[in-house]
Amino acid sequence: MDFDPSVISYGKLLDVFWASHDPREQPVRRQYMSAIFTHGDEQKDLAFKAKEREAARRSGKIHTEILPASTFFLAEAYHQKFALRGRSELMKEYEAIYPSFSDFLASTAVTRVNGYVAGYGTCDSLREELDGLGLSPAGRKRLEDIACPPGARKGRSTGAACPAG
């Protein structure tokens, strides 16, 4: 994800970050740690204030580290779009649309679907954007079945959906 302050503020991005996981979970390995990488003192100050706010709101130690941004290394291919990779019927559709791995990785539609498959977002938001995700009718139905199982409340959400942009 690329941060664009003309689309979302750094503070709002931090709100999405905190709402999208449990920062009290101790990582099994450092590669799975919860971290905020900052560019400059302003972002660092906002990140520490947000962490303090979360610590006051939640019980337990917050394990999120706040570190200066440095060289970024993309995770191995098998880690990319991990939730979606477990849904071979949807993966096949996107592999046909994006034969280039870099195009697959950069696709907003693929990223959004990965989030829905992982349990983020609402049934309502999925239905609003389903036409723009590039899936076949069968793929659309499969995604809706995964994200909005029978008996789920209409506005069901299991996590914080990233703002659509």
Side-chain angles (χ1 to χ4, degrees):
M1 168 178 20
D2 292 319
F3 169 57
D4 182 346
S6 70
V7 175
I8 185 172
S9 70
Y10 190 72
K12 181 67 176 166
L13 185 62
L14 288 171
D15 292 343
V16 172
F17 170 80
W18 293 112
S20 298
H21 76 295
D22 186 349
R24 297 169 298 182
E25 290 181 8
Q26 181 82 31
V28 178
R29 293 191 197 129
R30 185 163 172 80
Q31 71 191 46
Y32 300 115
M33 74 180 181
S34 169
I36 298 171
F37 298 97
T38 62
H39 293 273
D41 290 338
E42 183 180 352
Q43 286 184 359
K44 180 180 174 183
D45 291 343
L46 287 169
F48 274 107
K49 286 177 185 169
K51 182 177 178 179
E52 289 171 12
R53 209 171 36 249
E54 285 301 308
R57 192 175 74 78
R58 302 176 190 238
S59 60
K61 182 180 179 190
I62 302 292
H63 293 281
T64 301
E65 293 188 38
I66 299 172
L67 304 164
S70 61
T71 304
F72 179 79
F73 297 95
L74 204 57
E76 294 89 352
Y78 67 90
H79 285 297
Q80 302 299 328
K81 312 300 189 249
F82 188 76
L84 179 59
R85 288 186 176 280
R87 305 298 180 157
S88 61
E89 66 281 12
L90 297 174
M91 272 299 293
K92 285 178 188 172
E93 288 199 34
Y94 282 121
E95 287 172 337
I97 296 168
Y98 302 107
S100 158
F101 179 70
S102 61
D103 291 342
F104 169 82
L105 198 57
S107 166
T108 302
V110 172
T111 301
R112 302 289 296 165
V113 170
N114 185 67
Y116 284 116
V117 169
Y120 296 96
T122 66
C123 295
D124 289 344
S125 64
L126 171 61
R127 289 177 181 128
E128 286 176 17
E129 69 177 317
L130 201 51
D131 290 340
L133 298 176
L135 294 167
S136 70
R140 292 165 54 114
K141 179 167 182 353
R142 182 67 184 124
L143 177 58
E144 201 166 1
D145 289 347
I146 293 165
C148 306
R153 290 187 341 269
K154 185 178 178 188
R156 157 256 189 221
S157 176
T158 58
C162 288

